[in-house]
Amino acid sequence: MRAELQLQVRMNGKVVEMAHWRTVLADATGEGESGLGGGRCYSLRHALPFGLALYWAERCNQGWSGEQAVEMRSGVGIEEVLHWWLNQLDMDLQQWRNRGIDMLREGEEVHASRLQLKVEVRTAVHAQSGGAGQEMPPVPWASLMGCSLLLSELERWLTAQGVPCQEGTIYTQGWIRTLQRASDAGQVELTAGIRVLESGELCCNRCGAGEDALHWRSCAACGTACPYCEQCLQLGRVRLCSPLVRGLPSRAANVAQRRSASEAAAPDLRSWHLSPAQQDAVERGLQFLHESVEDDRRECANKGEAPSFLIWAVTGAGKTEMVYPLIEYELTRGGRVLVAAPRKDVVMELKPRLQRAFPQCRVVALYGGSEDTWKEGDLVLATTHQLLRFDRAFDLAVIDELDAFPYHNNPMLHYAASRALADDGRRILLSATPTAELKRAARRQQLPHALVYVRYHRHPLPVPRLVRTRPLAKSLKAGRHKDDSAPLARLLGRWAAYLRTGLSRKLVRSMRSSIQRGAQLFVFVPRIADTAPTAHLLRTEFPAERVDSVHAQDADRLEKVEAFRQGTIRILVTTTILERGVTVPRTDVYILDAHRSPFDATSLVQMAGRAGRSSDDPAGLVVFAAPYRNMAQVRAIREIKQMNRWAKRKGYLLQVGKEMRERE
Amino acid sequence: MNDRVQQNRISRLEQLALLLSKQDPPRCLLCQASRGRGLMRWRCMRSSPEAPSLQHWLCSNCERAVPWIRSIHCTRCGRGTVCPDCLRHPKRSFSWNRSAVRYDPLMREWLAQYKFRGRERLMPLLGEMMLPLASAVIDKLSHDRHSNRPIVLTYIPLSRERMHGRGFNQAEQLAAYLSRALQLPMYTLLHRHRHTEKQSYKDRKSRLRALRGAFSYNETAKLHVIQEGVFKPYVLIVDDVYTTGSTLEEAAKVIRNKLDCDVAGLTWARA
């Protein structure tokens, strides 16, 4: 889309006429009015790519609202100010020409200066010639609030809102004019798809990608060279000339704005049935939300991040339940809440739970292929990539598992998560295993946080046992060749039992006892390639039980996990994909090759957290099977033990034995 | 043409430089797998002589997965198998069509990335895939009896709305790539004055119906090659996918109404 710069000069509050302005301009450039043609007279192209026009508008406004403007207004040093300004202009023109966008019109006409300077510059969407001014259907812009959509997405949004909008017509005259009108009325804001930073570099406004993800191609929509962002292509193409339409809150909504913190009543915690440890953490979280914004603002201003609160809760502590009161608090204040989870299945599982908890509010779940994609909601559940569609939309963002797969080492999602937050929005981070950075910040009291040391059922976490075995690769190899060694087995007599299977006897004995006690087995292996052979090996070992394997590329992944949840699969061999989120009541966890690379302390803690989740069977068994122990295993065990110790010290643990005695 | 092709490949020296440098190895454009900086591939190691080398963009796995059309069964539409379409419509406005690859799910995915998602970086790859086919076709045409018949490239146009939405015309870009590589003139012979819905969403019948009268001849195109030439020119229409041939048929009909020429199609994929 192209946009036209409409500029007006105002001096001492009055709009300056063109003729007068030219004299001033000519004086400033050190030439008389007659010399204007030879001097600096810019005639910009009729229509510029949208992002560029917006950048210019901002720049002009900035230039005139700073120190220079004050000087202008007081009438001193107009010449110097203009000199400064024109030099800036020259630099900019040169810079964009180097990039391949020539902003000056070809065959410059004398006296046809289109650049009029104005304190307030607006970009007007370029109206193409032709196109009848047919009536456009009314659009409920208010429900677009907080979304930031490309025109192609807007088209689908309109269709979903029931506004008749034929595919492809959004780029035509009528709709562009409607947009212009909505933007004039303050219903929507048109922001640039690709932003020009102060340093002069470009960056994608939606995903924050830098210049190396932007590719310059000639563009038919704006007629010049135009970069597009390759990083966020999945959600539609962002170009320099494509505006992002952002819904603004309507005036009526502004009046009924969020009530201030003092007005909102603290939610009744008793209604949520929290354990004592959870309750302590929730109270601290509420206090964080309750604090005046100003205090945090000062602290966080230098970091450039939204104020955050970390809930560091052990696996199985009931993180979701802890978040409910916080969400309730924000909703009663009239804010909008986002819950971001790393994976689609988590979002799908969470939606009915949240809808049940907050029946009066609109809960919307966004993920790839979701039905709710274009709906408006007070409480939005989203997978990480869906966050890119929001811009300053939420007052509270609850971000689950910030250290988990898609967030980890992904600056795009961190950018999206902070962009989705309103200017005075707050973040609540949930994690069982925060990154070292977060832990450090928490320890140094830079990050407000609450620790939950104990599980919901108030039993200690199962401490992993180290079992020394041979490496998995060797076990698999031995298992594969067992038929070949039949003569050898005959030779060895009763010792041949050791040849029978690849797995170490210690491990097999332990697994057998787990099965006898009625538990299901989670067997983690480091690589996808190991899953199927290990499952085969276990099948030969436990022919009576159903053994299956699952990994990320498995087509039947969901069915198998469901079958494991139902209990039809007794032993499930898997990789780190199931290290989070899967909760099966009575499980024992075996981690084979615990020393190998994808397993680090974080994932070992998470996998160990799969055991003993229910209060019926709080003491699950966790086994780290490895040929040697390494730092990751030691650290994981140390962390689990430490949590148990702290929980005991704080008196959160259920003292089963003692209580029984007292009762007697 | 060879110069052009050579430019696109990584030269041995560049490969060596990559090998020695500490930079990240180049990544495959489509599967993002690292293409490995170690292995140098010599001419004798190439999988087959006629397939173009795409190693400038792709990893060897993706390169091997390309379903080239190596032998043609239907001489009309260039399909690798028997073609009921051409049997049903024996009379067509275009003489023939040739496609570089079969339009299988993988190719569909590649084209979707380029065309619908707008990943324009894929364009040189697709153009390169068409190049050996186009050069073979043109060699054949110029070695025919009518050897001095001019050959002209054109493409299937997009409507203005679509052009604004998408920002580029994939057929035009492919045609421009071929025209640069083979040093053939390219003209905009057609206009699409009616906005039709995406062809890829439709079934056969509505495809045929939707296109009727969608194109018009571009009167402003200055065809000096054609006007000056004594012989009937060959107009090659470039497009991305040939599905039922209805687009090509419609375009060829419009061109042949205005111009005394032979029309044929060059498409990237044959569905």
Side-chain angles (χ1 to χ4, degrees):
Chain A
M1 192 160 71
R2 290 185 287 186
E4 207 176 39
L5 279 177
Q6 289 178 347
L7 305 125
Q8 260 183 336
V9 190
R10 274 188 213 170
M11 229 179 266
N12 300 328
K14 277 180 285 182
V15 177
V16 181
E17 272 178 46
M18 273 297 282
H20 177 52
W21 175 245
R22 274 211 201 98
T23 353
V24 178
L25 198 70
D27 285 347
T29 50
E31 294 166 58
E33 195 173 1
S34 55
L36 189 65
R40 295 194 213 176
C41 176
Y42 303 97
S43 59
L44 288 181
R45 267 168 181 261
H46 189 56
L48 293 171
F50 180 80
L52 199 55
L54 199 69
Y55 161 69
W56 269 76
E58 266 167 25
R59 219 185 131 91
C60 293
N61 290 335
Q62 241 172 30
W64 289 128
S65 60
E67 276 174 50
Q68 285 78 26
V70 178
E71 280 180 35
M72 279 283 276
R73 236 170 277 140
S74 57
V76 243
I78 289 184
E79 280 76 18
E80 281 145 50
V81 174
L82 277 176
H83 259 303
W84 171 85
W85 169 240
L86 291 172
N87 285 337
Q88 296 282 312
L89 192 67
D90 270 348
M91 266 161 58
D92 267 15
L93 287 175
Q94 189 55 46
Q95 192 190 7
W96 285 101
R97 199 174 299 138
N98 292 345
R99 282 196 171 121
I101 300 184
D102 200 354
M103 294 199 289
L104 293 185
R105 208 180 318 174
E106 287 153 31
E108 245 173 76
E109 299 161 42
V110 187
H111 301 304
S113 167
R114 292 191 67 81
L115 185 79
Q116 314 154 41
L117 305 173
K118 183 195 164 193
V119 181
E120 194 182 29
V121 183
R122 286 189 305 116
T123 45
V125 176
H126 177 51
Q128 292 157 351
S129 53
Q134 74 260 41
E135 245 344 272
M136 279 296 152
V139 180
W141 290 117
S143 58
L144 190 67
M145 196 191 116
C147 289
S148 170
L149 302 179
L150 281 174
L151 285 186
S152 52
E153 289 171 314
L154 188 72
E155 195 175 82
R156 277 184 282 159
W157 178 81
L158 284 168
T159 323
Q161 300 297 314
V163 178
C165 173
Q166 219 195 339
E167 190 250 320
T169 50
I170 192 86
Y171 302 99
T172 54
Q173 191 57 57
W175 276 111
I176 298 289
R177 260 202 216 122
T178 315
L179 268 181
Q180 170 78 64
R181 234 175 292 131
S183 141
D184 288 346
Q187 288 164 318
V188 298
E189 184 188 7
L190 299 176
T191 54
I194 286 174
R195 200 154 39 110
V196 186
L197 299 177
E198 293 212 348
S199 57
E201 280 174 31
L202 300 174
C203 99
C204 174
N205 200 8
R206 185 165 64 171
C207 70
E211 291 217 2
D212 41 347
L214 303 178
H215 296 275
W216 288 76
R217 291 288 183 275
S218 79
C219 168
C222 64
T224 54
C226 182
Y228 74 93
C229 173
E230 196 150 279
Q231 192 175 271
C232 52
L233 266 185
Q234 303 166 338
L235 292 167
R237 193 157 76 140
V238 171
R239 283 173 295 188
L240 181 61
C241 63
S242 59
L244 288 170
V245 182
R246 176 172 170 256
L248 291 174
S250 68
R251 296 224 173 79
N254 263 338
V255 178
Q257 254 273 322
R258 280 174 72 203
R259 269 174 284 164
S260 65
S262 51
E263 279 177 61
D268 185 13
L269 291 186
R270 270 167 304 174
S271 62
W272 297 106
H273 307 294
L274 299 172
S275 76
Q278 283 177 318
Q279 201 154 343
D280 287 357
V282 168
E283 271 161 15
R284 298 197 52 186
L286 284 173
Q287 200 190 336
F288 163 77
L289 290 181
H290 202 76
E291 274 166 15
S292 74
V293 182
E294 294 307 314
D295 297 349
D296 288 325
R297 194 42 83 58
R298 243 173 287 133
E299 277 171 36
C300 297
N302 44 359
K303 274 190 280 178
E305 263 186 12
S308 310
F309 183 81
L310 171 70
I311 294 182
W312 178 359
V314 294
T315 51
K319 286 194 285 283
T320 322
E321 286 77 12
M322 274 188 270
V323 170
Y324 287 157
L326 302 177
I327 294 176
E328 187 193 7
Y329 177 71
E330 194 60 48
L331 286 175
T332 49
R333 269 172 84 178
R336 288 178 88 196
V337 181
L338 166 79
V339 179
R343 281 196 320 267
K344 186 173 154 181
D345 24 353
V346 177
V347 169
M348 286 160 78
E349 191 200 302
L350 220 53
K351 189 193 170 186
R353 283 168 69 185
L354 280 171
Q355 185 70 73
R356 236 176 294 134
F358 304 103
Q360 75 286 358
C361 83
R362 292 166 296 175
V363 181
V364 163
L366 305 178
Y367 46 87
S370 130
E371 291 169 359
D372 297 349
T373 309
W374 306 113
K375 279 189 197 155
E376 189 202 6
D378 313 311
L379 176 54
V380 176
L381 280 157
T383 55
T384 51
H385 282 81
Q386 302 293 323
L387 294 185
L388 288 171
R389 289 219 174 97
F390 292 100
D391 188 359
R392 286 163 279 165
F394 300 104
D395 303 302
L396 174 67
V398 178
I399 297 169
D400 196 9
E401 315 258 21
L402 193 71
D403 55 317
F405 157 62
Y407 285 113
H408 195 54
N409 293 332
N410 192 336
M412 173 166 98
L413 296 177
H414 280 282
Y415 176 88
S418 58
R419 192 173 86 112
L421 217 55
D423 291 334
D424 57 346
R426 279 131 189 276
R427 290 195 304 178
I428 288 187
L429 312 175
L430 301 179
S431 184
T433 45
T435 54
E437 210 176 311
L438 283 178
K439 276 185 200 167
R440 205 179 309 125
R443 207 169 43 235
R444 291 180 183 164
Q445 302 300 328
Q446 288 161 346
L447 179 72
H449 63 283
L451 267 152
V452 184
Y453 313 106
V454 72
R455 290 188 156 172
Y456 181 70
H457 56 56
R458 302 176 66 191
H459 289 278
L461 296 166
V463 177
R465 261 175 47 202
L466 288 170
V467 173
R468 193 161 154 188
T469 59
R470 48 183 154 173
L472 186 61
K474 262 189 184 166
S475 305
L476 294 176
K477 208 169 168 187
R480 210 175 301 136
H481 295 306
K482 80 172 190 213
D483 293 338
D484 305 343
S485 55
L488 188 66
R490 223 175 298 131
L491 205 72
L492 282 174
R494 73 187 185 94
W495 298 104
Y498 287 93
L499 281 178
R500 221 177 55 216
T501 178
L503 281 184
S504 127
R505 301 316 304 166
K506 256 186 286 180
L507 209 57
V508 173
R509 227 174 296 142
S510 169
M511 284 180 176
R512 185 154 290 143
S513 69
S514 290
I515 285 177
Q516 272 161 7
R517 111 189 151 84
Q520 282 177 280
L521 263 60
F522 244 132
V523 180
F524 288 98
V525 294
R527 294 184 312 150
I528 287 176
D530 294 335
T531 49
T534 309
H536 179 73
L537 206 61
L538 287 170
R539 230 169 266 141
T540 54
E541 196 63 39
F542 304 104
E545 311 297 341
R546 188 170 162 207
V547 184
D548 220 326
S549 64
V550 65
H551 51 79
Q553 274 124 50
D554 200 329
D556 317 323
R557 179 176 151 189
L558 288 178
E559 288 86 59
K560 282 184 186 169
V561 173
E562 196 48 46
F564 187 64
R565 277 213 180 106
Q566 303 289 327
T568 45
I569 294 180
R570 195 63 186 275
I571 305 177
L572 188 66
V573 183
T574 179
T575 58
T576 47
I577 55 154
L578 292 188
E579 74 178 27
R580 289 157 204 261
V582 178
T583 304
V584 180
R586 186 177 286 252
T587 43
D588 284 350
V589 175
Y590 289 83
I591 298 156
L592 307 184
D593 263 10
H595 64 295
R596 292 213 26 198
S597 84
F599 295 155
D600 51 6
T602 311
S603 61
L604 287 176
V605 170
Q606 289 282 0
M607 289 184 288
R610 295 306 109 204
R613 296 296 285 253
S614 79
S615 47
D616 306 334
D617 179 45
L621 183 68
V622 181
V623 171
F624 290 173
Y628 55 87
R629 65 176 159 182
N630 59 1
M631 216 44 217
Q633 294 165 56
V634 172
R635 209 175 284 158
I637 293 176
R638 195 190 293 156
E639 194 162 295
I640 289 171
K641 278 185 175 167
Q642 194 180 31
M643 285 294 181
N644 283 343
R645 206 160 46 235
W646 281 342
K648 195 174 173 190
R649 202 178 299 158
K650 291 252 177 186
Y652 287 133
L653 287 185
L654 212 59
Q655 288 164 325
V656 183
K658 206 172 155 192
E659 268 176 32
M660 296 278 271
R661 245 174 284 134
E662 276 168 10
R663 221 175 282 162
E664 279 163 15
Chain B
M1 173 217 146
N2 277 331
D3 296 349
R4 178 72 200 170
V5 175
Q6 288 299 328
Q7 273 172 20
N8 276 327
R9 284 186 194 138
I10 309 178
S11 75
R12 304 264 150 71
L13 204 65
E14 277 172 326
Q15 281 188 6
L16 195 67
L18 268 175
L19 192 74
L20 297 176
S21 73
K22 292 265 163 63
Q23 287 170 1
D24 281 352
R27 302 211 159 256
C28 172
L29 211 52
L30 287 148
C31 66
Q32 310 301 328
S34 129
R35 281 193 284 137
R37 61 173 91 142
L39 197 72
M40 280 197 201
R41 289 217 280 168
W42 302 92
R43 205 168 288 266
C44 57
M45 283 170 68
R46 283 207 198 105
S47 50
S48 69
E50 70 265 33
S53 166
L54 304 176
Q55 55 163 301
H56 183 64
W57 298 278
L58 301 183
C59 64
S60 48
N61 277 344
C62 288
E63 195 179 342
R64 242 178 282 130
V66 176
W68 299 107
I69 297 180
R70 288 173 196 278
S71 64
I72 290 164
H73 206 282
C74 174
T75 52
R76 169 62 63 85
C77 70
R79 214 180 207 178
T81 57
V82 184
C83 178
D85 269 354
C86 296
L87 293 175
R88 200 182 302 168
H89 304 281
K91 274 197 81 148
R92 289 260 169 140
S93 301
F94 57 91
S95 320
W96 41 261
N97 167 68
R98 291 292 177 270
S99 307
V101 295
R102 258 186 304 115
Y103 197 44
D104 67 351
L106 183 73
M107 294 296 112
R108 188 182 292 268
E109 166 61 27
W110 288 16
L111 187 71
Q113 278 204 17
Y114 166 51
K115 190 168 145 183
F116 298 127
R117 295 232 176 115
R119 212 170 149 204
E120 279 182 78
R121 265 211 298 166
L122 294 181
M123 194 279 292
L125 166 68
L126 304 191
E128 189 72 25
M129 287 167 76
M130 283 183 78
L131 204 53
L133 170 82
S135 69
V137 161
I138 280 149
D139 282 352
K140 186 85 171 61
L141 285 181
S142 50
H143 283 114
D144 262 358
R145 272 177 302 159
H146 313 290
S147 56
N148 34 8
R149 286 178 67 174
I151 302 169
V152 171
L153 289 178
T154 188
Y155 55 88
I156 301 290
L158 288 184
S159 68
R160 219 172 71 171
E161 289 90 345
R162 174 82 67 239
M163 196 73 176
H164 272 242
R166 193 175 288 164
F168 62 95
N169 177 353
Q170 71 284 353
E172 181 183 353
Q173 284 192 341
L174 287 175
Y177 188 90
L178 292 180
S179 118
R180 232 178 307 135
L182 304 170
Q183 271 136 32
L184 287 174
M186 180 183 93
Y187 294 102
T188 306
L189 292 182
L190 295 169
H191 272 315
R192 195 184 210 131
H193 48 75
R194 213 175 56 202
H195 181 67
T196 54
E197 290 197 0
K198 280 179 188 159
Q199 280 289 85
S200 31
Y201 293 158
K202 291 181 208 151
D203 58 349
R204 171 190 307 275
K205 228 181 199 170
S206 46
R207 263 165 195 266
L208 294 175
R209 203 180 313 122
L211 275 171
R212 205 150 291 156
F215 299 118
S216 67
Y217 190 73
N218 177 16
E219 302 287 352
T220 55
K222 294 196 187 89
L223 282 176
H224 33 242
V225 180
I226 295 175
Q227 281 150 8
E228 284 162 21
V230 188
F231 301 98
K232 261 168 78 173
Y234 245 111
V235 176
L236 298 183
I237 302 179
V238 179
D239 199 5
D240 48 357
V241 185
Y242 179 110
T243 309
T244 55
S246 52
T247 317
L248 197 58
E249 166 73 23
E250 192 63 34
K253 211 192 286 171
V254 173
I255 292 177
R256 286 187 59 185
N257 274 343
K258 292 281 179 178
L259 204 68
D260 180 29
C261 62
D262 280 331
V263 178
L266 270 184
T267 46
W268 172 71
R270 174 72 176 93

